[in-house]
PDB file of all heavy atoms in Angstrom:
ATOM      1  N   LEU B 300       9.833  -9.612  11.012  1.00  0.00           N
ATOM      2  CA  LEU B 300       8.809 -10.599  10.986  1.00  0.00           C
ATOM      3  C   LEU B 300       9.068 -11.509   9.764  1.00  0.00           C
ATOM      4  O   LEU B 300       9.123 -11.074   8.696  1.00  0.00           O
ATOM      5  CB  LEU B 300       7.489  -9.951  10.775  1.00  0.00           C
ATOM      6  CG  LEU B 300       6.221 -10.861  10.651  1.00  0.00           C
ATOM      7  CD1 LEU B 300       5.947 -11.648  11.933  1.00  0.00           C
ATOM      8  CD2 LEU B 300       4.996 -10.112  10.182  1.00  0.00           C
ATOM      9  N   ALA B 301       9.248 -12.806  10.038  1.00  0.00           N
ATOM     10  CA  ALA B 301       9.457 -13.844   8.990  1.00  0.00           C
ATOM     11  C   ALA B 301       8.110 -14.433   8.668  1.00  0.00           C
ATOM     12  O   ALA B 301       7.286 -14.710   9.539  1.00  0.00           O
ATOM     13  CB  ALA B 301      10.445 -14.876   9.336  1.00  0.00           C
ATOM     14  N   ALA B 314      -8.185 -12.485  -3.687  1.00  0.00           N
ATOM     15  CA  ALA B 314      -9.649 -12.418  -3.599  1.00  0.00           C
ATOM     16  C   ALA B 314     -10.079 -11.098  -2.953  1.00  0.00           C
ATOM     17  O   ALA B 314     -10.922 -10.366  -3.305  1.00  0.00           O
ATOM     18  CB  ALA B 314     -10.284 -13.520  -2.824  1.00  0.00           C
ATOM     19  N   PHE B 328       3.153 -16.125  -9.425  1.00  0.00           N
ATOM     20  CA  PHE B 328       3.498 -14.738  -8.883  1.00  0.00           C
ATOM     21  C   PHE B 328       2.313 -14.281  -7.939  1.00  0.00           C
ATOM     22  O   PHE B 328       1.115 -14.580  -8.172  1.00  0.00           O
ATOM     23  CB  PHE B 328       3.498 -13.661 -10.000  1.00  0.00           C
ATOM     24  CG  PHE B 328       4.838 -13.889 -10.822  1.00  0.00           C
ATOM     25  CD1 PHE B 328       4.895 -13.446 -12.110  1.00  0.00           C
ATOM     26  CD2 PHE B 328       6.020 -14.380 -10.287  1.00  0.00           C
ATOM     27  CE1 PHE B 328       6.050 -13.562 -12.855  1.00  0.00           C
ATOM     28  CE2 PHE B 328       7.159 -14.499 -10.986  1.00  0.00           C
ATOM     29  CZ  PHE B 328       7.081 -14.020 -12.316  1.00  0.00           C
ATOM     30  N   GLU B 344       2.647  -5.508  14.017  1.00  0.00           N
ATOM     31  CA  GLU B 344       2.943  -6.478  15.077  1.00  0.00           C
ATOM     32  C   GLU B 344       3.945  -5.997  16.072  1.00  0.00           C
ATOM     33  O   GLU B 344       4.093  -6.397  17.225  1.00  0.00           O
ATOM     34  CB  GLU B 344       3.393  -7.801  14.530  1.00  0.00           C
ATOM     35  CG  GLU B 344       2.269  -8.515  13.792  1.00  0.00           C
ATOM     36  CD  GLU B 344       2.449 -10.036  13.613  1.00  0.00           C
ATOM     37  OE1 GLU B 344       3.435 -10.503  13.995  1.00  0.00           O
ATOM     38  OE2 GLU B 344       1.524 -10.556  12.947  1.00  0.00           O
ATOM     39  N   ALA B 347       1.722  -0.700  18.263  1.00  0.00           N
ATOM     40  CA  ALA B 347       0.265  -0.571  18.290  1.00  0.00           C
ATOM     41  C   ALA B 347      -0.095   0.805  17.545  1.00  0.00           C
ATOM     42  O   ALA B 347       0.427   1.794  17.947  1.00  0.00           O
ATOM     43  CB  ALA B 347      -0.266  -0.517  19.651  1.00  0.00           C
ATOM     44  N   VAL B 353      -3.599   7.972  10.426  1.00  0.00           N
ATOM     45  CA  VAL B 353      -3.989   8.143   9.044  1.00  0.00           C
ATOM     46  C   VAL B 353      -2.720   7.924   8.132  1.00  0.00           C
ATOM     47  O   VAL B 353      -1.706   8.559   8.471  1.00  0.00           O
ATOM     48  CB  VAL B 353      -4.599   9.536   8.811  1.00  0.00           C
ATOM     49  CG1 VAL B 353      -4.972   9.714   7.345  1.00  0.00           C
ATOM     50  CG2 VAL B 353      -5.836   9.714   9.656  1.00  0.00           C
ATOM     51  N   ILE B 359       7.108   3.036  -2.781  1.00  0.00           N
ATOM     52  CA  ILE B 359       7.413   1.582  -2.926  1.00  0.00           C
ATOM     53  C   ILE B 359       8.324   1.328  -4.173  1.00  0.00           C
ATOM     54  O   ILE B 359       8.132   2.031  -5.208  1.00  0.00           O
ATOM     55  CB  ILE B 359       6.099   0.861  -3.147  1.00  0.00           C
ATOM     56  CG1 ILE B 359       5.100   1.060  -2.058  1.00  0.00           C
ATOM     57  CG2 ILE B 359       6.401  -0.715  -3.329  1.00  0.00           C
ATOM     58  CD1 ILE B 359       3.645   0.624  -2.456  1.00  0.00           C
ATOM     59  N   PHE B 361       9.376  -2.227  -6.173  1.00  0.00           N
ATOM     60  CA  PHE B 361       9.292  -3.674  -6.237  1.00  0.00           C
ATOM     61  C   PHE B 361      10.554  -4.100  -6.940  1.00  0.00           C
ATOM     62  O   PHE B 361      10.757  -3.802  -8.045  1.00  0.00           O
ATOM     63  CB  PHE B 361       8.101  -4.157  -7.154  1.00  0.00           C
ATOM     64  CG  PHE B 361       6.743  -3.590  -6.600  1.00  0.00           C
ATOM     65  CD1 PHE B 361       6.013  -2.796  -7.407  1.00  0.00           C
ATOM     66  CD2 PHE B 361       6.335  -3.869  -5.263  1.00  0.00           C
ATOM     67  CE1 PHE B 361       4.791  -2.284  -6.965  1.00  0.00           C
ATOM     68  CE2 PHE B 361       5.135  -3.392  -4.874  1.00  0.00           C
ATOM     69  CZ  PHE B 361       4.324  -2.519  -5.647  1.00  0.00           C
ATOM     70  N   VAL B 365       7.727 -12.003  -6.774  1.00  0.00           N
ATOM     71  CA  VAL B 365       7.707 -12.923  -5.689  1.00  0.00           C
ATOM     72  C   VAL B 365       6.686 -14.044  -5.949  1.00  0.00           C
ATOM     73  O   VAL B 365       5.550 -13.675  -6.410  1.00  0.00           O
ATOM     74  CB  VAL B 365       7.339 -12.194  -4.270  1.00  0.00           C
ATOM     75  CG1 VAL B 365       7.167 -13.183  -3.150  1.00  0.00           C
ATOM     76  CG2 VAL B 365       8.415 -11.192  -4.010  1.00  0.00           C
ATOM     77  N   SER B 374      11.004  -5.999   7.665  1.00  0.00           N
ATOM     78  CA  SER B 374      11.499  -5.156   8.808  1.00  0.00           C
ATOM     79  C   SER B 374      10.962  -3.737   8.554  1.00  0.00           C
ATOM     80  O   SER B 374      10.680  -3.285   7.416  1.00  0.00           O
ATOM     81  CB  SER B 374      12.985  -5.121   8.859  1.00  0.00           C
ATOM     82  OG  SER B 374      13.576  -4.698   7.700  1.00  0.00           O
ATOM     83  N   GLN B 384       1.198  20.416  17.637  1.00  0.00           N
ATOM     84  CA  GLN B 384      -0.133  20.613  18.004  1.00  0.00           C
ATOM     85  C   GLN B 384      -0.908  19.290  18.340  1.00  0.00           C
ATOM     86  O   GLN B 384      -2.021  19.073  17.904  1.00  0.00           O
ATOM     87  CB  GLN B 384      -0.940  21.395  16.955  1.00  0.00           C
ATOM     88  CG  GLN B 384      -0.403  22.828  16.849  1.00  0.00           C
ATOM     89  CD  GLN B 384      -1.139  23.647  15.791  1.00  0.00           C
ATOM     90  OE1 GLN B 384      -1.701  23.043  14.795  1.00  0.00           O
ATOM     91  NE2 GLN B 384      -1.153  24.885  15.999  1.00  0.00           N
ATOM     92  N   TRP B 386      -0.219  16.298  17.253  1.00  0.00           N
ATOM     93  CA  TRP B 386      -0.183  15.258  16.207  1.00  0.00           C
ATOM     94  C   TRP B 386       1.266  14.909  15.844  1.00  0.00           C
ATOM     95  O   TRP B 386       2.078  15.751  15.762  1.00  0.00           O
ATOM     96  CB  TRP B 386      -0.874  15.732  14.931  1.00  0.00           C
ATOM     97  CG  TRP B 386      -2.415  15.684  15.093  1.00  0.00           C
ATOM     98  CD1 TRP B 386      -3.156  16.582  15.787  1.00  0.00           C
ATOM     99  CD2 TRP B 386      -3.249  14.623  14.614  1.00  0.00           C
ATOM    100  NE1 TRP B 386      -4.499  16.231  15.751  1.00  0.00           N
ATOM    101  CE2 TRP B 386      -4.599  14.983  15.084  1.00  0.00           C
ATOM    102  CE3 TRP B 386      -3.086  13.488  13.955  1.00  0.00           C
ATOM    103  CZ2 TRP B 386      -5.639  14.225  14.764  1.00  0.00           C
ATOM    104  CZ3 TRP B 386      -4.167  12.663  13.639  1.00  0.00           C
ATOM    105  CH2 TRP B 386      -5.473  13.074  14.062  1.00  0.00           C
ATOM    106  N   MET B 389       5.152  10.920  11.107  1.00  0.00           N
ATOM    107  CA  MET B 389       6.221   9.917  11.148  1.00  0.00           C
ATOM    108  C   MET B 389       6.469   9.278   9.742  1.00  0.00           C
ATOM    109  O   MET B 389       5.544   8.977   8.997  1.00  0.00           O
ATOM    110  CB  MET B 389       5.764   8.783  12.183  1.00  0.00           C
ATOM    111  CG  MET B 389       6.777   7.756  12.488  1.00  0.00           C
ATOM    112  SD  MET B 389       6.211   6.668  13.736  1.00  0.00           S
ATOM    113  CE  MET B 389       6.611   7.614  15.240  1.00  0.00           C
ATOM    114  N   GLU B 392      10.325   3.443   7.223  1.00  0.00           N
ATOM    115  CA  GLU B 392      10.971   2.683   6.121  1.00  0.00           C
ATOM    116  C   GLU B 392      10.651   1.133   6.321  1.00  0.00           C
ATOM    117  O   GLU B 392      10.742   0.670   7.409  1.00  0.00           O
ATOM    118  CB  GLU B 392      12.511   2.903   6.232  1.00  0.00           C
ATOM    119  CG  GLU B 392      13.308   2.240   5.076  1.00  0.00           C
ATOM    120  CD  GLU B 392      14.725   2.553   5.356  1.00  0.00           C
ATOM    121  OE1 GLU B 392      15.413   1.779   6.114  1.00  0.00           O
ATOM    122  OE2 GLU B 392      15.324   3.476   4.907  1.00  0.00           O
ATOM    123  N   MET B 404      11.514  -5.928  -1.892  1.00  0.00           N
ATOM    124  CA  MET B 404      10.655  -4.683  -1.863  1.00  0.00           C
ATOM    125  C   MET B 404      11.201  -3.711  -0.846  1.00  0.00           C
ATOM    126  O   MET B 404      11.702  -4.134   0.289  1.00  0.00           O
ATOM    127  CB  MET B 404       9.128  -5.043  -1.492  1.00  0.00           C
ATOM    128  CG  MET B 404       8.168  -3.915  -1.540  1.00  0.00           C
ATOM    129  SD  MET B 404       8.190  -2.696  -0.160  1.00  0.00           S
ATOM    130  CE  MET B 404       7.530  -3.812   1.186  1.00  0.00           C
ATOM    131  N   ARG B 407       8.584   3.300   1.893  1.00  0.00           N
ATOM    132  CA  ARG B 407       8.432   4.215   2.928  1.00  0.00           C
ATOM    133  C   ARG B 407       7.072   4.720   3.057  1.00  0.00           C
ATOM    134  O   ARG B 407       6.436   5.110   2.086  1.00  0.00           O
ATOM    135  CB  ARG B 407       9.402   5.417   2.659  1.00  0.00           C
ATOM    136  CG  ARG B 407       9.393   6.504   3.836  1.00  0.00           C
ATOM    137  CD  ARG B 407      10.366   7.600   3.456  1.00  0.00           C
ATOM    138  NE  ARG B 407      10.130   8.660   4.449  1.00  0.00           N
ATOM    139  CZ  ARG B 407      11.082   9.439   5.010  1.00  0.00           C
ATOM    140  NH1 ARG B 407      12.309   9.151   4.816  1.00  0.00           N
ATOM    141  NH2 ARG B 407      10.793  10.404   5.790  1.00  0.00           N
ATOM    142  N   GLU B 417       3.085   7.858  26.210  1.00  0.00           N
ATOM    143  CA  GLU B 417       4.294   8.356  26.832  1.00  0.00           C
ATOM    144  C   GLU B 417       5.428   8.153  25.853  1.00  0.00           C
ATOM    145  O   GLU B 417       5.687   7.058  25.428  1.00  0.00           O
ATOM    146  CB  GLU B 417       4.575   7.740  28.150  1.00  0.00           C
ATOM    147  CG  GLU B 417       5.677   8.360  28.999  1.00  0.00           C
ATOM    148  CD  GLU B 417       5.602   7.884  30.426  1.00  0.00           C
ATOM    149  OE1 GLU B 417       4.568   7.511  30.851  1.00  0.00           O
ATOM    150  OE2 GLU B 417       6.728   7.789  30.922  1.00  0.00           O
TER     151      GLU B 417
END
Side-chain angles (χ1 to χ4, degrees):
Chain B
L300 176 69
F328 287 154
E344 295 202 358
V353 178
I359 301 164
F361 306 120
V365 174
S374 60
Q384 296 180 330
W386 284 79
M389 187 174 279
E392 183 182 84
M404 186 281 288
R407 178 179 170 137
E417 192 166 325

